[in-house]
Amino acid sequence: MALGGAAAVAGAGGGTAWVLASGDGGSDGATDAPGKGRSAEPVDGTFTTPPAAVAPQPLWHKSAKEDGTSPGVPLLTHDGLLLVSGDPLVAYDVRTGKARWSKPGICRPGAQLLFHDGKVFLADGDYEGALVAYDVRTGEETWRSRLGKQLSVEDTIAIDDRNVYVTAKDHGQSKSATEYRTAVAAVSHTTGRTAWVQHRDWGTRDYDVQGTASGTYLVYADSNLNLTVRDTATGGQVWTRKIGEEWSWRPTVAGGLVFLPGDELKALDVEKGSTVWTLAPAGRRGFGNPTAVDGVLYVSDHDDGVWAVGVKTGKRNWLCDELDVAGPETFQRVGSTLYGATGSLDGGIVALETRTGRLRWTYTDSKAVGEPWRLAVAGHRLMATHGHEIYALPAV
């Protein structure tokens, strides 16, 4: 399949494939797997770069149980393991794709995989209102924590060097048999002790908050169309404001700014909430949520173009409009290459030159999964998911 004006490999049956090196079967039981029967595992951990405009083959491919993963959740990689949110929660070896451990019943649907110091933190799978820490290497429970008799942990929001931030429901404050007041809380991820609890306004929900912890600020969006900033030390509200018609995105914070997607890309002062700069889409149809890497924002517009924008200035460095797949929703940068994972339709993984934005290659599996692609980096490997399909690609 030719993509981006070049022969980018698109799965089994997609024409010429770039086989990096022969080895033991890398598909590990996969069906219809790109690169089946081949792997690329050189001794020094680096990979041969395929010809220009040709995507590499997967090193291995796994098919998880359908409806057993949460496709909208970022992946977690640590110490040679890949964790994919779902039930069961499975830790895959990034070199082979084999499961190191599998734990049913501990990961709620859509649960984030928040990680720090060898532990992953989840709201308990039995819905009893606890926050639970699991050892990433073994999957064993390390500790579980409760906020109090009347407060139950409902979801995790964000994590930093000190705390895990969660939403909670206060069963002691109710307007009816079904409407309870919600709260935000911070729990120390070393001790499991509650650092603070702050109640939210009546009418806010406990399950629809997406947030980021950055420096001294916890920043989150909710389905009441609010963007809220709190002090991470006390939980005190710094400011809140309405953000328009879209809330289902995890705020990006960098350089003292928080960025709002929409018809224009806006940068707000994270301390004051005032607008610092605004970027118009130059006749295109607005922006998605950006990813910040080393002072640069990478963001797709609604016409499937990719922009590189200065964090501090809001000035465009380049625009790539040569993609033949949907614009990426998330990005990872490895050396001089920017990798993007696209949305659910006409999707795949793209590789761009970070200096110019030029398209290097596109990988897609041609599977009608109807779910977004996700991407994480593990050393010299790109770990990618497309719904319940899981791939390891060389970062070349």
Side-chain angles (χ1 to χ4, degrees):
M1 179 178 290
L3 293 173
V9 178
T16 303
W18 179 250
V19 180
L20 294 163
S22 61
D24 296 333
S27 59
D28 194 27
T31 59
D32 191 28
K36 185 175 181 180
R38 294 290 190 181
S39 65
E41 192 56 50
V43 175
D44 63 1
T46 60
F47 302 100
T48 303
T49 302
V54 177
Q57 274 193 327
L59 308 175
W60 53 260
H61 164 225
K62 300 282 288 190
S63 294
K65 181 181 69 174
E66 288 197 41
D67 300 323
T69 60
S70 298
V73 178
L75 310 177
L76 169 62
T77 57
H78 174 69
D79 197 22
L81 295 177
L82 165 70
L83 274 66
V84 182
S85 180
D87 188 16
L89 181 61
V90 181
Y92 298 94
D93 188 305
V94 300
R95 292 169 64 92
T96 66
K98 297 182 183 298
R100 292 266 196 93
W101 55 260
S102 177
K103 295 287 183 178
I106 70 171
C107 187
R108 298 183 185 182
Q112 285 195 78
L113 301 177
L114 298 181
F115 167 82
H116 194 277
D117 194 27
K119 296 186 287 289
V120 61
F121 303 90
L122 296 166
D124 62 314
D126 49 12
Y127 293 87
E128 293 185 354
L131 177 68
V132 188
Y134 297 93
D135 188 305
V136 172
R137 298 170 186 84
T138 66
E140 297 300 321
E141 182 176 320
T142 301
W143 53 253
R144 64 174 51 212
S145 173
R146 297 183 182 278
L147 300 177
K149 293 183 178 180
Q150 301 294 329
L151 288 165
S152 62
V153 173
E154 298 298 322
D155 203 358
T156 56
I157 306 174
I159 195 166
D160 60 16
D161 288 339
R162 293 179 297 175
N163 299 316
V164 186
Y165 301 94
V166 301
T167 54
K169 183 180 293 182
D170 189 340
H171 297 275
Q173 295 191 37
S174 63
K175 283 187 174 181
S176 67
T178 58
E179 185 180 3
Y180 299 92
R181 195 170 185 188
T182 63
V184 176
V187 179
S188 168
H189 50 59
T190 55
T191 66
R193 295 176 180 172
T194 303
W196 50 258
V197 176
Q198 293 285 355
H199 283 86
R200 301 169 68 207
D201 293 339
W202 284 100
T204 55
R205 301 181 180 90
D206 50 44
Y207 55 84
D208 58 4
V209 176
Q210 299 194 55
T212 301
S214 178
T216 59
Y217 300 106
L218 172 66
V219 185
Y220 59 86
D222 64 39
S223 62
N224 285 14
L225 306 179
N226 297 315
L227 181 69
T228 302
V229 177
R230 292 183 179 272
D231 187 315
T232 55
T234 66
Q237 183 170 294
V238 180
W239 57 265
T240 187
R241 63 179 286 181
K242 293 295 181 182
I243 52 176
E245 298 179 355
E246 177 62 40
W247 69 270
S248 57
W249 47 276
R250 185 162 290 109
T252 298
V253 183
L257 304 173
V258 57
F259 304 95
L260 301 186
D263 293 338
E264 297 178 317
L265 184 62
K266 292 183 179 180
L268 308 182
D269 186 299
V270 71
E271 182 178 355
K272 301 175 182 177
S274 56
T275 300
V276 175
W277 56 255
T278 300
L279 178 64
R284 302 170 76 88
R285 294 182 299 147
F287 297 95
N289 198 38
T291 300
V293 183
D294 294 336
V296 179
L297 294 177
Y298 298 104
V299 59
S300 292
D301 61 38
H302 298 323
D303 292 311
D304 301 329
V306 176
W307 299 54
V309 178
V311 165
K312 290 291 190 180
T313 65
K315 302 298 184 183
R316 185 180 80 185
N317 297 339
W318 49 254
L319 166 62
C320 173
D321 59 359
E322 56 181 316
L323 303 187
D324 283 344
V325 294
E329 295 182 349
T330 57
F331 297 91
Q332 296 277 349
R333 201 174 81 185
V334 181
S336 61
T337 302
L338 178 70
Y339 299 97
T342 70
S344 57
L345 301 177
D346 299 323
I349 303 297
V350 300
L352 308 178
E353 295 180 359
T354 56
R355 185 176 63 85
T356 64
R358 182 180 178 185
L359 177 65
R360 289 188 55 214
W361 50 258
T362 300
Y363 174 81
T364 181
D365 60 5
S366 301
K367 293 181 181 292
V369 176
E371 299 288 357
W373 287 77
R374 294 293 174 188
L375 184 66
V377 175
H380 294 279
R381 295 168 179 81
L382 303 175
M383 313 309 299
T385 60
H386 184 205
H388 59 278
E389 305 292 348
I390 306 170
Y391 301 96
L393 295 167
V396 295

